[in-house]
């Protein structure tokens, strides 16, 4: 074995062991890396007790109600839903039927009191005409 | 060309002495191509690509954000590859290439973080969030800065190259983490609009603008790295005969 072959083997072996270590580490930290949990997970008791955490999901269509600066809406993962109350300014992209990530605490009454509301958009980019065409097609042919 | 260098074939370009003039010859072409792609890319980005249905005109920052992000990851892989080759074969030029690529990579990572932040504020509602995609890209930026600092801290270039190479190789594990972060964990950052396995989920002209800008960034990165590697060659080989001759020629 030539010295440079040996060095190359050490590098490849080193990279493989680092990759393995990273995989194990990230697997162990999985729940900490996730930015939010879903309403289903919250209702299954997987939310941290007495601490602020984030919930991610869709803002249920028709659930938004405003009184002064306070907004009430329902966040849903299409299976389970959680009512949310938030006082403050909402991002422009926050809309019913769209994704949102909210941070706050779960009250004793089951209402999630949010301190921060963020809008989550998808990876689709299209001109307004194309969006209009898709929306019309969906309205005409409901699932 | 004598018999001996001919036998070396492609390997003779691994000598700084042969690569220096070659890089000098290639340089203007990369600048020309980068400029052409840049003009075409900006024109498509601003005037041809349509307004986005959800985000309006603000989405146009994608034409800088995505190419910068791609390049920040790609340059890291290329840098680590050069560093690895240098470590395994002991070729001097490899270390110089890695050193030349690092500042451009750091610039791309910084640009990606900055444009992402400017984009995140109006769309998501926050400048920054510790989500997996954003955090891993920040780590990439720190890896570049760490690599530059480590190399600069060691006076002997060969030892500096070796230390830098090990850091660069260890850090390579972060690149797939950045790329797959939006798939592996739930995050605020949306998934990829462009992937190798399916057609892009964006209008064709938007996609064209992004690709043109990415090519511009790529060619710019090559051009500026070649300039930098030439400067590094001059600095490191300053005591050799051929550099003295080269510099003397340039001065006169």
């Amino acid at each position: 074995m030539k010295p440079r072959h040996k060095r190359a083997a050490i590098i490849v072996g080193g990279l493989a062991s680092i990759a393995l270590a990273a995989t194990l580490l990230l697997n162990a930290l999985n729940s900490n890396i996730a930015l939010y949990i879903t309403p289903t997970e919250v209702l299954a008791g997987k939310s941290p007790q007495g601490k602020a955490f984030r919930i991610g999901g869709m803002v249920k269509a028709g659930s938004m109600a405003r009184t002064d600066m306070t907004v009430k809406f329902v966040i849903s993962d299409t299976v389970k839903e959680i009512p949310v109350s938030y006082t403050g300014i909402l991002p422009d992209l926050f809309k019913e039927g769209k994704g949102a990530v909210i941070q706050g605490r779960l009250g004793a009454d089951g209402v999630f009191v949010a301190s921060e509301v963020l809008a989550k958009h998808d990876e689709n980019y299209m001109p307004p005409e194309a969006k209009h065409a898709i929306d019309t097609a969906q309205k005409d042919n409901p699932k | 060309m004598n018999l001996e260098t001919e036998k070396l074939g492609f390997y003779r370009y691994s000598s700084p002495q042969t690569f220096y003039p070659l890089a000098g010859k290639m340089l203007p072409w990369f600048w020309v191509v980068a400029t052409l792609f840049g003009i075409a890319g900006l024109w498509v980005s601003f005037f041809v690509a349509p307004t986005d249905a959800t985000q309006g005109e603000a989405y146009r920052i994608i034409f800088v954000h995505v190419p910068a992000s791609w390049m920040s990851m790609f340059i890291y892989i290329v840098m680590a590859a050069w560093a690895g080759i240098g470590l395994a074969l002991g070729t001097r030029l490899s270390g110089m290439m890695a050193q030349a690529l690092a500042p451009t990579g750091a610039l791309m990572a910084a640009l990606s973080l900055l444009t992402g932040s400017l984009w995140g504020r109006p769309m998501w509602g926050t400048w920054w969030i510790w989500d997996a995609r954003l955090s891993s890209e920040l780590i990439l930026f720190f890896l570049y800065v760490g690599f530059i600092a480590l190399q600069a801290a060691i006076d002997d270039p060969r030892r500096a190259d070796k230390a830098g190479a090990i850091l660069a190789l260890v850090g390579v594990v972060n690149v797939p983490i950045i790329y797959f972060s939006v798939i592996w964990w739930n995050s605020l950052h949306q998934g990829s609009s462009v992937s190798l396995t399916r057609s892009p989920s964006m209008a064709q002209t938007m996609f064209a603008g992004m690709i043109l800008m990415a090519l511009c960034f790529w060619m710019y990165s090559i051009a500026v790295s070649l300039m930098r590697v030439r400067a590094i060659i001059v600095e490191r080989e300053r005591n050799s005969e051929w550099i003295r001759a080269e510099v003397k020629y340039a001065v006169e």
Side-chain angles (χ1 to χ4, degrees), chain A residues 40-51:
Chain A
T40 306
E41 286 169 326
V42 175
L43 293 177
K46 284 182 186 161
S47 61
Q49 297 301 312
K51 271 202 322 195

Side-chain angles (χ1 to χ4, degrees), chain B residues 36-47:
Chain B
L36 291 178
F37 277 130
I39 293 168
L42 285 173
W43 182 68
V44 172
S45 311
F46 279 110
F47 304 112

Side-chain angles (χ1 to χ4, degrees), chain A:
Chain A
M1 209 178 198
K2 284 184 194 162
R4 62 186 155 112
H5 290 162
K6 199 177 160 192
R7 282 199 297 268
I10 292 172
I11 292 170
V12 171
L15 282 178
S17 47
I18 290 163
L20 183 69
T23 313
L24 294 173
L25 190 74
L26 292 175
N27 254 322
L29 292 175
N30 216 350
S31 59
N32 292 311
I33 298 170
L35 188 70
Y36 54 81
I37 54 178
T38 61
T40 306
E41 286 169 326
V42 175
L43 293 177
K46 284 182 186 161
S47 61
Q49 297 301 312
K51 271 202 322 195
F53 61 97
R54 291 195 189 91
I55 303 178
M58 291 288 182
V59 182
K60 195 185 176 191
S63 71
M64 229 168 113
R66 230 180 252 272
T67 39
D68 292 329
M69 280 298 282
T70 302
V71 189
K72 284 187 162 56
F73 57 89
V74 172
I75 190 115
S76 145
D77 57 8
T78 68
V79 181
K80 294 279 163 73
E81 346 185 292
I82 290 174
V84 182
S85 154
Y86 173 66
T87 308
I89 298 162
L90 293 166
D92 288 355
L93 288 191
F94 183 90
K95 281 194 185 82
E96 288 184 349
K98 297 285 178 197
V101 175
I102 49 177
Q103 185 171 6
R105 286 164 192 275
L106 196 59
D109 53 353
V111 176
F112 190 77
V113 181
S115 55
E116 184 184 41
V117 174
L118 301 173
K120 181 170 160 65
H121 64 81
D122 61 19
E123 66 275 21
N124 298 308
Y125 299 90
M126 59 182 94
E129 304 83 59
K131 177 90 172 69
H132 181 73
I134 290 173
D135 290 346
T136 326
Q138 277 177 350
K139 209 180 284 170
D140 294 346
N141 305 295
K143 275 176 217 158

Side-chain angles (χ1 to χ4, degrees), chain B residues 35 39 55 73 81 84 103 146 184:
Chain B
T35 312
I39 293 168
Q55 302 189 25
M73 292 188 280
W184 291 343

Side-chain angles (χ1 to χ4, degrees), chain B residues 18-40:
Chain B
T18 22
F19 189 73
Y20 182 85
L22 178 72
K25 260 183 234 151
M26 293 192 296
L27 249 175
W29 294 104
F30 282 110
W31 279 122
V32 168
V33 176
T35 312
L36 291 178
F37 277 130
I39 293 168

Side-chain angles (χ1 to χ4, degrees), chain A residues 22-23 26 33, chain B residues 73 132-133 136-137 139 171-185:
Chain A
T23 313
L26 292 175
I33 298 170
Chain B
M73 292 188 280
R133 174 54 76 76
S136 52
E137 180 72 22
I139 291 171
V172 112
V173 77
N174 187 40
V175 175
I177 295 175
I178 300 174
Y179 188 80
F180 292 109
S181 56
V182 290
I183 300 169
W184 291 343
W185 304 288

Side-chain angles (χ1 to χ4, degrees), chain B residues 33-34 37-38 67 71 210-220:
Chain B
V33 176
F37 277 130
M71 288 315 297
M210 220 164 78
I211 293 298
L212 285 170
M213 288 305 287
L215 287 168
C216 164
F217 276 41
W218 189 0
M219 296 303 121
Y220 160 81

